[in-house]
Amino acid sequence: MACLFVNHLTVADFSYLDSARGLVGESWIVDIELEGDLDAQSMVLDFGAVKKRIKRAIDDSIDHTLVVPLQADGVQWEPSASTTRLLFPTAMGAIEHVAPACAVSALDCAEITAEAVARHLEAILQPLMPSSVHALRIGLRPEPIDGAYYHYTHGLRKHDGACQRIAHGHRSRLVLELDGQRQPDWEREIALAWTDIYLGVAEDISARANGRIRFAYDAPEGHFELALPEHCVDLLETDSTVECIAATLQQRLYQHKGLATTRRVRVRAFEGVDKGAIADGG
């Protein structure tokens, strides 16, 4: 048998629930290996088919969803064909989630790990393979980042694609410059403040009491709600697109660092791996 591999086939951007950390945004690079017999073209599988068929299946599964470990302690899970309701206790405080079924990926495990998600994806992908492919292996890995990064979760109510889902996220690096000089201390400061953060939008708040905050909105896929402790949230006055995130960080740096507008602050904010937005000016 022969083995075909594709590194960095795609990136899975999603959020998951963790009993210790709470709501965690994540971005994992997806690598794949296919082991099987050579076909009439002397291939295990055509690279074009791998990229189209397998990438689409991954994008349609965990990508831009909330991934839930159903065997974690205390999970209350109410699925239906149209809407899922969830209560998940964590050390950070309880997290409540209401969303269309397409916005949630449920895994039969106690903790979300790269290995658990890889096995979940392999089970989805194997039936899509021709009979000549005897083994399929998925590898998930974080982007190597030399510097500061943070895990964030958000939802884009106005988006007509999967980004509308109220709890999906990313693991993102951050590059800040002042007058052309990189500021690693500033980067670490923001990354620390935004550890496992939910970037909420003020206009999406539906309730706020007793140290908890609830967001709710209707989007093309249906009705979404998310309730969590306020200390896990940073409220934005804008939408939480990466363009708005970059601009918000730039404005806050001018304000919190007491910088004159003649100074040039450049923010390079990432949304997962190798994509993002720049706010540059003074």
Side-chain angles (χ1 to χ4, degrees):
M1 287 191 295
C3 184
L4 176 75
F5 71 89
V6 181
N7 289 336
H8 205 144
L9 174 65
T10 188
V11 175
D13 291 302
F14 60 96
S15 288
Y16 67 91
L17 290 168
D18 185 89
S19 297
R21 295 170 61 183
L23 185 59
V24 183
E26 190 58 272
S27 299
W28 280 336
I29 297 168
V30 182
D31 304 323
I32 188 167
E33 291 183 1
L34 302 175
E35 193 171 300
D37 301 321
L38 298 183
D39 61 16
Q41 304 176 84
S42 297
M43 299 176 179
V44 174
L45 193 64
D46 181 82
F47 277 118
V50 172
K51 291 179 179 179
K52 290 179 183 178
R53 189 183 311 171
I54 299 178
K55 182 181 184 302
R56 184 183 302 115
I58 293 171
D59 292 344
D60 290 343
S61 57
I62 66 165
D63 192 59
H64 283 70
T65 67
L66 176 63
V67 181
V68 182
L70 292 181
Q71 300 305 319
D73 291 341
V75 178
Q76 297 181 32
W77 169 249
E78 299 178 19
S80 74
S82 58
T83 302
T84 62
R85 295 180 178 273
L86 170 74
L87 177 64
F88 194 94
T90 81
M92 299 292 103
I95 296 171
E96 302 169 67
H97 183 256
V98 178
C102 63
V104 180
S105 296
L107 272 62
D108 188 20
C109 60
E111 181 183 9
I112 299 302
T113 63
E115 293 73 20
V117 174
R119 301 297 84 79
H120 174 76
L121 291 175
E122 288 168 359
I124 292 172
L125 295 173
Q126 189 63 61
L128 304 179
M129 296 298 101
S131 58
S132 58
V133 174
H134 304 298
L136 178 151
R137 291 181 291 273
I138 294 287
L140 299 170
R141 55 187 170 91
E143 174 194 18
I145 296 176
D146 181 16
Y149 63 88
Y150 53 93
H151 299 255
Y152 77 97
T153 299
H154 67 155
L156 303 178
R157 172 174 52 86
K158 300 170 186 176
H159 197 269
D160 60 2
C163 293
Q164 69 186 263
R165 296 166 184 172
I166 201 167
H168 75 275
H170 314 273
R171 174 184 181 265
S172 299
R173 61 187 299 196
L174 181 65
V175 178
L176 306 177
E177 295 178 0
L178 176 62
D179 298 331
Q181 297 296 314
R182 190 164 177 181
Q183 304 294 312
D185 288 345
W186 291 5
E187 294 168 5
R188 287 190 290 269
E189 181 181 329
I190 290 173
L192 180 62
W194 276 7
T195 300
D196 299 336
I197 198 71
Y198 185 77
L199 296 181
V201 177
E203 67 176 304
D204 294 336
I205 296 173
S206 65
R208 194 172 186 176
N210 302 319
R212 291 180 62 78
I213 188 166
R214 180 178 296 272
F215 301 93
Y217 57 72
D218 293 311
E221 287 185 342
H223 182 69
F224 294 87
E225 293 185 28
L226 179 71
L228 68 170
E230 285 198 65
H231 65 82
C232 299
V233 177
D234 192 335
L235 272 181
L236 306 185
E237 296 302 322
T238 64
D239 291 323
S240 59
T241 62
V242 70
E243 295 91 340
C244 291
I245 291 170
T248 294
L249 289 175
Q250 184 195 47
Q251 292 165 6
R252 289 181 179 182
L253 285 170
Y254 275 111
Q255 295 167 359
H256 298 166
K257 301 298 180 182
L259 300 173
T261 55
T262 54
R263 308 294 298 274
R264 182 183 179 187
V265 174
R266 188 174 193 265
V267 175
R268 189 177 179 90
F270 285 72
E271 185 183 73
V273 180
D274 291 337
K275 65 184 190 298
I278 297 171
D280 193 1

